[in-house]
Amino acid sequence: MLTAHWLYGLSGCLIMALGLRAVLLNDSLLQRIIALNVMGTGVFMILITIAYRGPDATPDPIPHALVLTGIVVAVSATALALTLIRRLTEEQDSD
Amino acid sequence: MIDILIWLVALPLAGALAALLLPRYATAIVISTAIATSISAAALLYAVATHGVMLYEIGGWPAGLGIALRADGLAALLLTMSALVLLASSIYAGAYFRENLLRSRFWPLWLLLWTALNALLLSGDLFNLYVTLELLGLSAVALASLAGKTAAMQAALRYLLVGLLGSMLFLAGVTLIYAGYGTLDMATLSRVVAAGPIAWSALALMTVGLLLKTALFPLHFWLPPAHASAPAPVSAVLSALVVKATFYLVMRLWLDIFSEVVIPQVASLLGILGAAAVLWGSWQALRAERLKLLAAYSTVAQLGYLFLFFPLLQALPAGAARDAAMGGLVILALSHGLAKSGLFLAIGIIQQRSGHDTIRDLDGTAQRLPATTFAIALSGTALIGLPPSGAFLGKWHLLSAAFSAGQWLWIIVIMIGTLLAAAYTFRVLGHAFGQQPYPRHPVTIAIEEWPALILTAFATIGLGLAGAPVWQLLKVSL
Amino acid sequence: MNFDTWLPLLVVVSSLLPGLVMFFLDEGSHRLRTVLNMSGALIKLVLVGIITWGVFHQHIYETRWTLAPGLELVLHADTLSVLFVILSTVLWLVTTVYAIAYLEKSPHRSRFFGFFSICVSATVGLALAGNLLTFVLFYELLTLSTYPLVAHRGSPEALRGARTYLAYTLTGGVLLFTGTVWLYSIAGPISFVEGGTLNQLHADYHPQLRVIFLLMITGLGVKAALVPLHGWLPQAMVAPAPVSALLHAVAVVKAGAFGIIRVVYDVYGVEFTHELGLLTGLGIIAAITIIYGSVKALSQDNLKKRLAYSTVSQVSYIALGIAILGPVGTIGGIVHLVHQGVMKITLFFTAGNYAETLGIHKVSEMDGVGLRMPATTLAFSVGALGMIGIPPVAGYVSKWYLALGSLEAGMAWWVMPVLVTSSLLNAAYFLPILYRAWFKQPVTEWPNEKILPARFETQTALLWPPLITAALAVAAGLFAASPYSPLEWANLIARREYGL
């Protein structure tokens, strides 16, 4: 059980790191937005892992609330980003 | 009285929704909301001065489970400054945006930004900070991209990416904090956080995220294009308030929550980056060809000054000298906020009148708009740090702290930075003296010029002569 | 909150408020502008009169205002401030009259008089400053308010001159500011106390005090035109004549010299400065400036530039007086503050008259001008004679006291040659002008003559100011022994400084 706990946490960190790397090194805007989402997923995984309080206790609800809020925020941000990218390509095409 | 905290968040939010639903009356709604929110901010300032720290637990849930809104002296001061800037800029924006379509898109986003700003300054909970930080960033980006041209879009997208990256890092830090201490309440955390790997990593993550958003050298690359291509009122708010809000968070983290954890070497690192920002930003401002670019680089430099305080605050023991330095930091931040917003508003007037903001071709316009040029002169006084201005007092305390702590490097940086700021300011002002015909009336476009004049007057005469209450208010702290 | 606490502030505000109002006046409102200007000047005169009487009878006039913790704005009237304030107020009144006439039909007059008034407020403010912070504050305000005056004409030369002026004075300001903050961080808030307060500090601080002194004197020396910081002064001659008159007789250069007096006498204390070995250095720089200024003046054909270099030289007499240890030398230096002001303003007024009425800008164009403009040239001659040091014009009084003081202090072996040489040089560049003006045949056509309907040689408002100031210069010299002369007042200051 403990090993699974640590595994989840570590994978969360790994995903976050991969996402970070992609944001910094990639050139395409779309890929960077996706990479940011991946990064976010990594952080959410860590949060979920933290919620575990042992085999007998109920999980901590607060990190769950944080993850839900975080997902909403990430979705809105991605929506804005995608709209802007679309408008930018339109502007550049009409130039 | 305690409800004021909720009013400060609810009023602009309600206004934003109303402006969205009733675009025909949007301008009237916005101006009345702005006035109401400003009055609330002033009331909060008064309440904090007389009753001490204000606390409000949303929904009655106690802190730890629920979200608390807290206002101390620092928050109240920043709130009041924001309200003043946003009120003046709202009046200005009403006249600035000629097309109705643009204006009806602008107002809801504008009030959303105000909501986010107020909520951020009042947050007593780390995760709430994350949410408001994101909201602030998103509305700022949306506002910056309103102009619609390619350059503006690209700059806005870069701003968005950087902002999202910063918030993500911030969230990672918050996660670590929760993992280590089991609470997100800021007041509780400032009591329990102790030095250790969790605290260090969390602080590092959160700081890097915030530094990205505050545009500290060398993470400042996104700021000049974004601030320079946004519409004038938006640039004013971006430079004066949005970056200040993230800086405020760095202050809260370093001086409040993590004060036990910070070591002198890391504080010095912040100082060195700040020094680099001062020199690089001022140099680039001197070389800038456009007024807005000059103002944007000036923001980079001025933020650098704020970061110079960190190693000094770290080195000084708690006492009168440290309190004096703290006040210097805050008054410098307030002064910059007022002066920079006034500057951007004035530049906006020039840009609209002459169709461009190239410095070399400024002659005719600058001389035909004496009130605007006077606003730029007042703003320049506050940016250079000449008396009378809040910045003069702030720089005095900065230098004084440097002398007391024996950290000589900053002194040289401040002296050079001041001279460079003088150089780029007077480079612009030199164009105000020429041989073009002088208009009969000094104030030509009252509704646009008066907000700029009032903001810059507050930065110079207001804070410069009546700035003592800032120190008294800062004593009311969490 | 009685009258005594408000009085110093009122003196400053009496010109500040009209100035701020004038910015918002329409260009065409001449009458209102004149009313504002003159009423401000007259009110100030009355207030200053009250203060003078009070200070003579040992009243305390002090305004205090806290800007920040440890930073208090203090306006305090003592004998030295009263001297400078009277000089500024009287000369401002006269210059205002002159300027209104000189700038008739000029553009940008609202802006000009607005900054003009702020400039005088700044000068009076730093005269009344009761501590270093207040002094520095008004010193910088002076820089800011004089820049637009120098750049007023808007021509490329004016802008260049103004840029140079700014570069020099702002750099000086930063140095002064840094020195002041340093001093505050060592010794706490520094008030101006007769005799100075720094000698009470521990000897460990002495090296720092030396560096601070250097920083502050350099910062002040820019405005006081000490060599090699004087470069801006000849360049700033592009300003209109009223500006050159005010800047060079009253506001800027005197502010620098006044600052040096304050630092040496009321911050460090003259004996302590001597102990630190700094007084001699100051004296040497003063001597070099005196000689250098006069030498450069010889080679200038442009009249205002010649007068500019003469100013460079003459203001350092004040510094020399400070450097001479002992009350007599002090008296010589301080009284020259007044004498040089009155004489120099006369010279600049007359130079302005020549330029305005006849288009004369160069010495070589001045042949026979005494016949054409006798009253103006009479005033010019009075000023010139005073500069050389010929009685009864006031200049000789200062030189006499400087010489006497150097004898008493045992410094005569180098001060006397400097005084003699500089007087000879003064004669060398002023007497030829007088000869040309009075004794040479006038040219057939002046460079740019304005035909005036009036009976007098030029407008009345341009004629009276130089005649009045010339008369004052003669009176100060003739009645130097009377109890109301500048000399007596300088005597009073020196007595209080040395505790006699």
Side-chain angles (χ1 to χ4, degrees):
Chain A
M1 285 291 115
L2 231 51
T3 327
H5 187 209
W6 282 113
L7 204 60
Y8 277 124
L10 258 123
S11 5
C13 292
L14 195 62
I15 296 175
M16 191 179 123
L18 283 173
L20 182 60
R21 180 182 174 279
V23 171
L24 294 176
L25 295 181
N26 258 327
D27 272 334
S28 150
L29 274 167
L30 195 55
Q31 288 185 347
R32 284 176 141 159
I33 300 290
I34 299 177
L36 272 169
N37 274 297
V38 171
M39 227 183 122
T41 314
V43 178
F44 297 151
M45 275 216 68
I46 300 176
L47 268 169
I48 297 174
T49 320
I50 295 175
Y52 184 66
R53 285 200 283 214
D56 302 319
T58 51
D60 188 351
I62 291 186
H64 292 177
L66 301 187
V67 170
L68 286 170
T69 318
I71 293 176
V72 171
V73 171
V75 168
S76 332
T78 311
L80 179 61
L82 292 175
T83 319
L84 282 180
I85 294 179
R86 174 112 166 266
R87 281 256 251 124
L88 179 61
T89 16
E90 275 172 14
E91 281 285 323
Q92 281 175 331
D93 285 339
S94 67
D95 274 349
Chain B
M1 263 300 175
I2 299 186
D3 295 310
I4 286 193
L5 296 179
I6 274 296
W7 278 122
L8 278 165
V9 178
L11 272 173
L13 186 57
L17 291 172
L20 188 60
L21 295 173
L22 304 166
R24 283 226 319 195
Y25 306 104
T27 309
I29 294 176
V30 171
I31 301 291
S32 33
T33 313
I35 296 176
T37 316
S38 306
I39 295 178
S40 314
L44 177 68
L45 194 65
Y46 178 72
V48 170
T50 43
H51 297 284
V53 177
M54 308 284 292
L55 175 65
Y56 184 79
E57 282 152 352
I58 300 186
W61 298 103
L65 188 59
I67 298 173
L69 293 180
R70 239 180 236 104
D72 65 350
L74 178 60
L77 281 168
L78 285 172
L79 267 164
T80 317
M81 189 260 286
S82 317
L84 191 59
V85 171
L86 278 160
L87 178 60
S89 307
S90 305
I91 299 175
Y92 175 91
Y96 180 85
F97 288 110
R98 304 286 161 76
E99 310 154 17
N100 286 330
L101 185 59
L102 197 58
R103 213 176 338 174
S104 55
R105 282 200 222 129
F106 173 80
W107 287 134
L109 288 170
W110 182 254
L111 286 180
L112 267 179
L113 188 140
W114 199 334
T115 316
L117 192 59
N118 282 0
L120 189 149
L121 290 170
L122 290 172
S123 269
D125 174 279
L126 275 184
F127 191 74
N128 204 27
L129 274 182
Y130 167 71
V131 176
T132 54
L133 204 55
E134 282 281 40
L135 183 57
L136 186 64
L138 292 182
S139 39
V141 168
L143 282 169
S145 63
L146 266 181
K149 301 195 201 46
T150 317
M153 294 292 228
Q154 278 175 331
L157 260 173
R158 190 175 307 129
Y159 182 17
L160 181 59
L161 273 169
V162 171
L164 289 177
L165 182 59
S167 324
M168 208 50 76
L169 289 171
F170 186 81
L171 184 61
V174 171
T175 313
L176 268 179
I177 288 287
Y178 190 74
Y181 294 98
T183 176
L184 291 169
D185 180 60
M186 284 160 68
T188 323
L189 281 172
S190 55
R191 285 195 300 269
V192 290
V193 168
I198 293 186
W200 284 330
S201 332
L203 182 61
L205 280 168
M206 290 163 89
T207 307
V208 174
L210 289 172
L211 289 184
L212 265 170
K213 289 169 133 350
T214 320
L216 178 63
F217 186 93
L219 305 169
H220 67 289
F221 53 88
W222 58 269
L223 191 144
H227 289 202
S229 33
V234 177
S235 307
V237 167
L238 286 179
S239 254
L241 302 179
V242 177
V243 286
K244 268 333 146 10
T246 46
F247 176 76
Y248 160 81
L249 290 181
V250 179
M251 273 180 77
R252 278 275 185 237
L253 289 181
W254 281 64
L255 301 173
D256 221 350
I257 302 179
F258 289 90
S259 50
E260 314 281 318
V261 182
V262 173
I263 41 176
Q265 287 82 358
V266 196
S268 301
L269 179 63
L270 272 189
I272 293 183
L273 292 179
V278 168
L279 296 174
W280 175 250
S282 307
W283 174 245
Q284 289 294 90
L286 192 55
R287 292 181 53 221
E289 304 223 330
R290 289 177 48 212
L291 273 173
K292 283 185 122 175
L293 221 46
L294 182 144
Y297 273 112
S298 167
T299 305
V300 173
Q302 295 282 322
L303 287 168
Y305 280 114
L306 298 179
F307 280 98
L308 283 179
F309 276 93
F310 281 97
L312 295 169
L313 288 171
Q314 172 69 25
L316 289 170
R322 192 168 190 277
D323 290 341
M326 255 307 265
L329 170 56
V330 174
I331 207 172
L332 196 54
L334 293 175
S335 169
H336 177 250
L338 293 167
K340 195 41 77 60
S341 51
L343 180 63
F344 268 113
L345 293 188
I347 295 177
I349 298 174
I350 292 182
Q351 201 171 21
Q352 273 198 326
R353 269 309 171 93
S354 58
H356 69 90
D357 64 338
T358 320
I359 297 180
R360 212 174 311 143
D361 303 323
L362 205 51
D363 273 359
T365 334
Q367 289 160 44
R368 261 177 260 129
L369 296 169
T372 309
T373 316
F374 193 62
I376 297 184
L378 284 178
S379 160
T381 313
L383 290 175
I384 302 173
L386 289 169
S389 67
F392 174 71
L393 298 174
K395 277 200 179 167
W396 182 291
H397 283 284
L398 178 57
L399 263 182
S400 189
F403 277 117
S404 303
Q407 299 184 0
W408 302 94
L409 180 60
W410 316 133
I411 297 170
I412 312 282
V413 171
I414 295 166
M415 287 170 77
I416 300 181
T418 309
L419 287 173
L420 284 173
Y424 66 66
T425 304
F426 281 100
R427 182 174 155 232
V428 173
L429 286 177
H431 289 279
F433 298 96
Q435 293 167 323
Q436 301 270 348
Y438 197 76
R440 275 197 78 80
H441 307 285
V443 180
T444 20
I445 330 160
I447 194 167
E448 289 187 13
E449 288 182 308
W450 275 110
L453 275 173
I454 292 182
L455 284 176
T456 48
F458 262 98
T460 45
I461 303 166
L463 284 178
L465 295 175
V470 169
W471 278 266
Q472 284 161 5
L473 271 161
L474 283 176
K475 289 210 179 80
V476 180
S477 62
L478 291 166
Chain C
M1 273 303 167
N2 55 4
F3 190 53
D4 283 356
T5 36
W6 282 102
L7 199 49
L9 184 63
L10 283 176
V11 174
V12 176
V13 163
S14 62
S15 48
L16 189 60
L17 274 179
L20 290 173
V21 170
M22 273 188 276
F23 279 125
F24 291 98
L25 288 183
D26 283 353
E27 256 313 279
S29 15
H30 312 295
R31 198 151 289 167
L32 186 54
R33 248 200 319 263
T34 310
V35 166
L36 280 170
N37 269 321
M38 296 309 293
S39 46
L42 289 167
I43 294 176
K44 201 200 269 307
L45 201 58
V46 169
L47 293 173
V48 168
I50 300 176
I51 287 192
T52 313
W53 181 89
V55 169
F56 190 70
H57 292 138
Q58 312 259 19
H59 276 191
I60 306 276
Y61 295 109
E62 192 173 86
T63 313
R64 286 186 168 260
W65 177 258
T66 310
L67 291 175
L71 300 182
E72 241 190 338
L73 197 71
V74 176
L75 292 173
H76 179 92
D78 64 11
T79 43
L80 187 56
S81 23
V82 164
L83 185 82
F84 197 20
V85 169
I86 296 180
L87 180 71
S88 315
T89 310
V90 169
L91 291 184
W92 180 45
L93 182 56
V94 175
T95 313
T96 306
V97 172
Y98 186 85
I100 294 176
Y102 192 88
L103 292 173
E104 212 167 41
K105 302 194 180 43
S106 254
H108 308 256
R109 259 174 296 169
S110 285
R111 183 182 78 190
F112 180 88
F113 282 108
F115 282 115
F116 199 66
S117 309
I118 298 184
C119 168
V120 174
S121 310
T123 312
V124 167
L126 66 83
L128 287 169
N131 61 9
L132 262 181
L133 166 69
T134 317
F135 182 87
V136 170
L137 203 134
F138 283 108
Y139 195 77
E140 296 295 331
L141 202 57
L142 186 62
T143 304
L144 285 179
S145 55
T146 42
Y147 169 78
L149 296 177
V150 178
H152 177 78
R153 286 221 175 94
S155 60
E157 302 83 42
L159 290 175
R160 249 200 317 272
R163 249 205 310 274
T164 314
Y165 174 64
L166 208 60
Y168 272 88
T169 45
L170 280 177
T171 315
V174 168
L175 291 173
L176 179 63
F177 177 69
T178 311
T180 308
V181 180
W182 192 346
L183 194 57
Y184 267 61
S185 74
I186 301 179
I190 302 286
S191 288
F192 291 139
V193 175
E194 277 146 356
T197 48
L198 292 183
N199 47 4
Q200 296 158 14
L201 283 179
H202 196 268
D204 282 349
Y205 285 117
H206 286 194
Q208 287 188 52
L209 287 179
R210 285 200 184 89
V211 179
I212 294 175
F213 187 84
L214 211 63
L215 278 175
M216 294 208 283
I217 297 298
T218 312
L220 294 165
V222 170
K223 284 213 169 95
L226 293 175
V227 163
L229 308 163
H230 67 290
W232 61 274
L233 194 56
Q235 304 273 5
M237 287 297 102
V238 294
V243 177
S244 307
L246 196 63
L247 257 59
H248 295 254
V250 182
V252 177
V253 282
K254 287 297 159 43
F258 184 79
I260 299 181
I261 297 178
R262 280 288 194 206
V263 167
V264 172
Y265 288 129
D266 298 329
V267 175
Y268 277 75
V270 67
E271 270 122 19
F272 185 55
T273 318
H274 186 68
E275 261 176 54
L276 289 176
L278 300 164
L279 209 57
T280 326
L282 184 62
I284 295 177
I285 305 258
I288 295 177
T289 311
I290 294 175
I291 303 290
Y292 180 81
S294 299
V295 167
K296 286 288 280 196
L298 278 174
S299 56
Q300 301 296 322
D301 193 25
N302 184 305
L303 182 58
K304 281 174 85 178
K305 281 233 166 87
R306 186 174 285 208
L307 293 176
Y309 277 107
S310 168
T311 305
V312 171
S313 167
Q314 289 277 331
V315 172
S316 279
Y317 280 132
I318 304 174
L320 188 64
I322 301 172
I324 297 175
L325 195 57
V328 182
T330 306
I331 296 176
I334 293 182
V335 82
H336 201 55
L337 202 87
V338 177
H339 292 169
Q340 198 268 352
V342 181
M343 296 188 294
K344 211 17 114 26
I345 210 176
T346 314
L347 289 170
F348 273 104
F349 279 158
T350 51
N353 283 0
Y354 291 143
E356 206 25 38
T357 323
L358 298 176
I360 292 179
H361 295 282
K362 299 204 168 82
V363 173
S364 46
E365 296 165 344
M366 279 177 74
D367 288 10
V369 78
L371 267 106
R372 172 71 177 75
M373 298 181 73
T376 309
T377 316
L378 179 64
F380 185 89
S381 313
V382 167
L385 290 177
M387 288 288 161
I388 301 173
I390 296 178
V393 190
Y396 84 96
V397 174
S398 340
K399 297 201 182 185
W400 179 259
Y401 269 82
L402 286 174
L404 214 57
S406 71
L407 271 170
E408 275 189 20
M411 298 165 140
W413 61 273
W414 59 275
V415 173
M416 293 293 264
V418 168
L419 286 176
V420 170
T421 318
S422 108
S423 299
L424 287 174
L425 286 169
N426 284 345
Y429 62 73
F430 271 125
L431 288 179
I433 306 183
L434 295 184
Y435 177 74
R436 268 182 196 270
W438 290 113
F439 298 116
K440 276 213 164 162
Q441 283 302 323
V443 296
T444 36
E445 237 186 76
W446 302 104
N448 192 3
E449 181 162 6
K450 282 204 180 109
I451 310 295
L452 296 160
R455 298 173 298 156
F456 295 117
E457 61 199 51
T458 179
Q459 297 173 42
T460 352
L462 289 180
L463 197 49
W464 281 110
L467 287 177
I468 293 176
T469 50
L472 285 174
V474 173
L478 214 48
F479 301 115
S482 90
Y484 300 109
S485 68
L487 183 63
E488 264 315 299
W489 198 268
N491 213 330
L492 182 62
I493 297 174
R495 279 207 307 275
R496 293 201 185 165
E497 166 60 31
Y498 284 90
L500 299 168

